[in-house]
Amino acid sequence: MLNDFFILMKFELLPAVIFFVLLFIKVGTAELSNASIIRLANILLFINLVAGFFYNKDGGMFGDMFHTNALIVLQKSILNLGIFIVSLQAEAWLRTHKHVIEFYLLLLSSLMGMFFMISGANLLMFYLGLELATIPLAALANFDLEKRKSSEAAMKLIMSSAFSSGLLLFGISLMYGTTGTLGFAQLPALLNGSNLQVFAFVLLFAGFAFKISVVPFHLWTADVYEGAPVPVTSFLSVVSKGAFIFVFASVLYTVFKPLADTWYHMLFLLSVLTMVIGNLFALRQQNIKRMLAFSSIAQMGFILIGISGSSQAGTASAVYFVLVYVFTNLAAFGVVALVSAQTGKEDITDYKGFHATNPVLAWVLAIALFSLAGVPPTAGFFGKFFLIMAGAAKQNYWLITIAALNMIVSLYYYLNLVKALFMDANASPVPKITFGVYAKLAIVICIAGMVLSGLASVVYEYIYNLSTGF
Amino acid sequence: MNNIAYLVPLFPLLGFLINGLFRKSLSKGTIGIIGCGTILLSFIVSLILFFDVKANGGVVVNYFNFIDVASFQIPFAFQIDQLSVIFLLIITGIGFLIHLYSTSYMHDESSEHFGRYFAYLNLFVFSMLLLIMGANYVIMFIGWEGVGLCSYLLIGYWFKNINYTNAAKKAFVMNRIGDLGFLLAVFWLLSKLGTANYVDVFEQASTGLSSTDVTAITLLLFVGAMGKSAQIPLYTWLPDAMAGPTPVSALIHAATMVTAGIYMIARSNVLYSLSPLTQDVVAVIGLATAILSATIALFQNDIKKVLAYSTVSQLGFMFLALGVGAYTTGVFHVMTHAFFKALMFLGAGSVIHAMGGEQDITKMGGLVKKLPITAWTFVIGVLAISGFPFTSGFVSKDEILLAVLAHSPVLFWFAVFAAILTAAYMFRLMMLVFFGGFRGTHEQEHHLHESPSAMTIPLIILGVLSLIGGFVQLPHVFGGEDFFNQFLAPIVPAVTHEGAEAATLEYYLLGGTIVILVIVYVVTKKLFAVDRFDGVYTGFKKVLADKWYIDELYNAVIVNPLDKLAGFLKNVVEKSGIDGIVNGVGKFVNYASRQLRLLQSGQVGNYILFMVLSIAVLFLVFWNQEIIVQFLQKIF
């Protein structure tokens, strides 16, 4: 029994252990340098990542409040990988920061919250995990302590998060009111599509939509992404979003299966809105972080298409896309973070002639942009391909056509940046960026991931076999 | 033994890859050895296959499924039978001689371009072998396109000369027009029979295809043959194709590629025999081409142009034979023509080589003294093509004439006329180049020399073949064994001319030929074996010298209107129409995004208000989902 406890909750326990190790260092007397703290934290996160692959087991605990299975393990490992890369990339920024340990403490609490949320088999458990995942994020957004914009971002995040939590909680209580249960296993049988249930579902749906920045619940995204420190932005856009997508897909497929007709049309409507508006906004952005923020909104629209397929391929393609997105978006944000940390430049025009001074970084960013745009043979192409394939199974070709047109629009702003990197002349380009071993490692992981997860078909097949259908 | 069939195309492919990839690092000697050696190996394998087929008959060798979709399969298979082995021997045998000749002819090229030349040449042989060996129309089409590509690459080999690249483009485009016909025919076959395998198609042709189908398919296939084998109206590319190096003209534009159309029709003889209409079309177009190009050849002053028009004319003869149902005769003429036309092209190359690149025959004359081997082998070629008794050309051409006579006396007399023209332009060429006095500059005269042995050995071998190559199909009346027709009999039903009547006709033809050749000899010797020749023509001769103005006609009727249409589409439709739409969409997207930006005010209060409104809308929309479903279905 105890053995089961450790194995089933391994993913949640490991961050807790690391959390306490770091906390003891903080309160202890030993004065460690930033460099050694970062080294220690990264080693621990690496161990955390590797440990996730061994001794896994399916099962449930706490009277069906908590459950885990092979797909959930994979999802958590993807998040572990994401946080490891984020931590590697944060090194350039944290090196001189006064509160390194706090950064990691907040990051780990948030991660733990996500894991509980993913493993939650009860709306209450899910809600607790979600709150634990969200609240540290607001503190993290404020982590550039001297910058006004950072504080502004934190305020906006916490206020709108609080609002969305309110929505979720309201939805959950209405759900409980109509069904008398919060358990995932019991709910489907009790859902009958009454107006009150639909209303509760809309509230829950809106809460999720807020978390994964689906239009029209996306408005906070750009402001927060722009103001927050770049590593936090990349954590928000990749790890946090990924966690919510995992939960969203599985909740829709299992708990709200009886309302499939409703949410299919909702997904259809919101995915179109999200792709179109995300792209239209991205077109006009001058700040590279805002541009990436809106592009990530547009990407969410594509994920909704895959989820709308309501099939095994729907789950598999969404999970696969998140994996690809971890590599791709972190590659892009990694370069942006380096440039931002060393020069403070964040405008697209600043990137003109970037290739002349920083050929390696320019290529990394270009490959990431191609992958975001879905250009073969990068993994981004396969990610979008599988999403659209999953969506096409519903034979809703209008949705597919709109998605294809949106990919063309998105090419414009991605290629515009590539053009700036390689072709535009600039009298004073970004100076030569120096990057250490952490950033190098992050870049190698991202590039290898972008190439391999696309070309190695076993990756998708593996995910597909773990996924469950409708 | 048939399991080694794949080696035949494999060797040239390897040669192509090696020479193509490593042309910058290999020496010319190595490139030459690889280029020639691979073809020689192919020739040896072809010989083995030949004796195997002779002993055991033909087979189809399946390798893998090239296309495999549901119930529809296109196997990658080779058909090794009597018809294909003959072509294999012609292609690899003559191909080897021409490769050997090229090592010397192209020796002034830089090593890299030398390698490019042999890579193309090997690729050509590979494609041609695929065309011949394929056991269905799809594999044939791969080869068919491949040879077209190589022809294009080799015509434009000296790509710095804009005229040469234009000639290459012309050849490619003309061929593509024909290829379209070929493709349509294959599609038609696939849609009616569901298979493109020769064996299945010919077995099911009489039952599975209506007579309309057969006629349409055969006519479309013939359109393909028109392009590839330069028949009216798609023949004008072949004379221009002489822009390529002379050995290329010999190999591709005389001996092998241009006979692909004949091979294809001979292969499809079952289909053609089912459609008398198509057969008549083939015969008439073949004969018309033979006469038209022979008249043009009479007044050309470029040594290669004369040979080019002569090739077109001889191809016309072959189609004439096919059209009257004498398929074996057509194939036989392919073989003999390959001997003597390759011989004459290589001879012309030797002359051009000696004259320092000069191709104008008005500036030559009397070369027999300085280039004896070239000259006398060329004379053999001229005699063979003119049908001098017991040369290879005599046997094949007489057989064509007899087959035509059996079919239609009217066509026969036209064919005789074309044959007389053939003798006339060939003797004229021979007299102008090799006899009379030298008309070029002193410098050219000083440089005249016989070519090296790598060039003369192929000439001699081809000369011998041109002389005795006909004996495999010597008429019975002269003690022949009819070997060729009997060998092909399992694939192509032979038309035999037996009995006393045929014997009498043979003697008439023999006598007539001798009389005509003597007259032609006397007249041309007087007119053209001269010390001065200006080569300027007036009146009707000028019309012929200017090729009946066919090129100008095509330009006026097809090329210029197309150009104008393209200009209209580019300047009017694209600029104001399509560009306008595209730019309009871009402007609209820009505008929309500018307006939407107002939403993003930066005020959290506004954001939350907007979210609340959105939730209200979502709830209203999904409150009664029947309504929205119906609404969505109405829109989309």
Side-chain angles (χ1 to χ4, degrees), chain B residues 461-478:
Chain B
I461 295 174
L462 287 170
V464 173
L465 286 172
S466 301
L467 272 183
I468 62 163
F471 285 106
V472 291
Q473 179 56 24
L474 203 59
H476 289 271
V477 60
F478 302 124

Side-chain angles (χ1 to χ4, degrees), chain A residues 156 163 167 195 198-199 206 210 216-217 219 223 261-262 265-266 268 280-281 283-284 290 294 398, chain B residues 589-590 593-594 596-597 599-600 602 604 607-608 610-612 614-615 618-619 622-623 625 629 632 636:
Chain A
K156 284 180 173 171
F163 177 71
L167 291 179
N195 284 344
V198 171
F199 183 57
F210 172 85
F217 306 98
L219 290 155
D223 293 357
D261 276 352
T262 309
H265 289 105
M266 250 192 242
F268 172 77
L280 288 182
F281 274 108
L283 278 180
R284 303 207 62 79
R290 281 182 83 88
F294 282 110
W398 281 103
Chain B
V589 168
N590 246 324
S593 79
R594 238 192 339 268
L596 277 170
R597 216 179 159 194
L599 266 181
Q600 198 80 36
V604 184
Y607 294 177
I608 292 176
F610 191 71
M611 281 192 252
V612 171
S614 306
I615 290 169
L618 269 184
F619 176 66
F622 291 102
W623 172 42
Q625 67 187 43
V629 170
L632 283 175
F636 301 121

Side-chain angles (χ1 to χ4, degrees), chain A residues 60-67 116 119-122 124-126 128:
Chain A
M61 289 178 62
F62 307 132
D64 267 353
M65 292 285 264
F66 181 97
H67 72 128
F116 274 112
S119 275
N122 182 296
L124 202 60
M125 185 69 177
F126 154 76
L128 286 174

